[in-house]
Amino acid sequence: RRRIRDWMLLMMRLAALALIVMAFARPFFKRDSLAAATQQGAREAVVLVDTSYSMSYGDRWQRARTAAAEAIAALGAGDRDRASLVFFSSGAEVAVRSAGDRGRLEAGLATAEVGAGATRYAPALKLASSLLSESALPRREIILISDFQRRGWEQTPGRDDVKLPERTTLTPVSVATGEASNLSVTPVSLQRSRFENHDRV
């Protein structure tokens, strides 16, 4: 008749056997529970601010700055939430990268100015996707502040290649006001001629 003398050793061997069985069973978690878990916790946000020429119409630029300031003010306290500030028109540029300090973000916003560029959404969304993919925080959000010119998406090369990280929330904030006539210069033709060793355009 045998008696168990080392209970601790027996329990460790049984636990190892149970872990091997679980490994072969390949357990998984439901996506619903994962999504619920990621609805809480710190947030990584990217604030995209449109600085294209159309934003100088009316009070759109002031409305955009106000919306960006509100997005910065909504960051969680205690440096838990982090945000990046990106200005875009035909291209995109990071003004502040992944900061939890609201002062830095507000100072970066104060330097923003409307330029003469056209609106292109794909470069800004691709840059935002890259910034979010570098973050380990559970919640991810892109806040897109623009007047949403249609041509900004229709004439964007590589627009179909824009893919956001999984479980990313895209929040559009429109600063357009009412209906306004929309004019754009599409083709430009320059005629050159030579006169007395000088170019005429």
Side-chain angles (χ1 to χ4, degrees):
R1 191 174 187 182
R2 294 183 178 180
R3 292 184 178 181
I4 300 174
R5 297 180 179 178
D6 197 337
W7 284 95
M8 185 61 67
L9 180 60
L10 176 62
M11 297 301 293
M12 291 177 61
R13 288 177 176 174
L14 290 176
L17 183 61
L19 289 174
I20 292 173
V21 172
M22 287 184 63
F24 278 104
R26 302 180 68 181
F28 64 92
F29 298 96
K30 291 183 179 181
R31 293 181 62 88
D32 295 341
S33 60
L34 286 176
T38 56
Q39 288 177 356
Q40 299 178 351
R43 176 178 57 134
E44 184 77 39
V46 178
V47 182
L48 301 177
V49 182
D50 188 353
T51 59
S52 62
Y53 187 70
S54 63
M55 294 292 288
S56 62
Y57 180 80
D59 64 343
R60 292 182 181 180
W61 179 237
Q62 183 57 43
R63 290 163 60 89
R65 289 173 62 98
T66 301
E70 291 175 353
I72 293 171
L75 292 176
D79 292 342
R80 292 181 64 246
D81 291 353
R82 304 186 68 83
S84 298
L85 183 63
V86 175
F87 304 135
F88 75 95
S89 54
S90 55
E93 179 183 1
V94 179
V96 180
R97 179 184 294 268
S98 189
D101 184 2
R102 297 179 188 174
R104 279 188 59 199
L105 294 165
E106 291 170 353
L109 179 61
T111 64
E113 295 180 351
V114 175
T119 306
R120 298 289 183 268
Y121 297 113
L125 291 173
K126 287 182 179 179
L127 180 55
S129 176
S130 175
L131 292 172
L132 290 178
S133 63
E134 297 172 358
S135 175
L137 298 183
R139 297 168 56 204
R140 300 171 180 178
E141 183 179 8
I142 297 175
I143 303 169
L144 177 58
I145 302 171
S146 174
D147 57 355
F148 293 101
Q149 295 290 309
R150 181 182 299 175
R151 295 182 69 85
W153 187 252
E154 292 176 349
Q155 292 191 342
T156 299
R159 61 181 182 175
D160 296 330
D161 297 334
V162 176
K163 295 180 181 179
L164 303 181
E166 190 176 0
R167 295 187 298 274
T168 298
T169 301
L170 176 60
T171 304
V173 179
S174 177
V175 295
T177 53
E179 294 292 334
S181 58
N182 191 5
L183 303 178
S184 63
V185 178
T186 49
V188 176
S189 176
L190 302 179
Q191 297 182 351
R192 295 178 176 272
S193 62
R194 192 79 173 169
F195 181 76
E196 296 182 354
N197 295 327
H198 294 284
D199 283 334
R200 285 184 172 180
V201 180

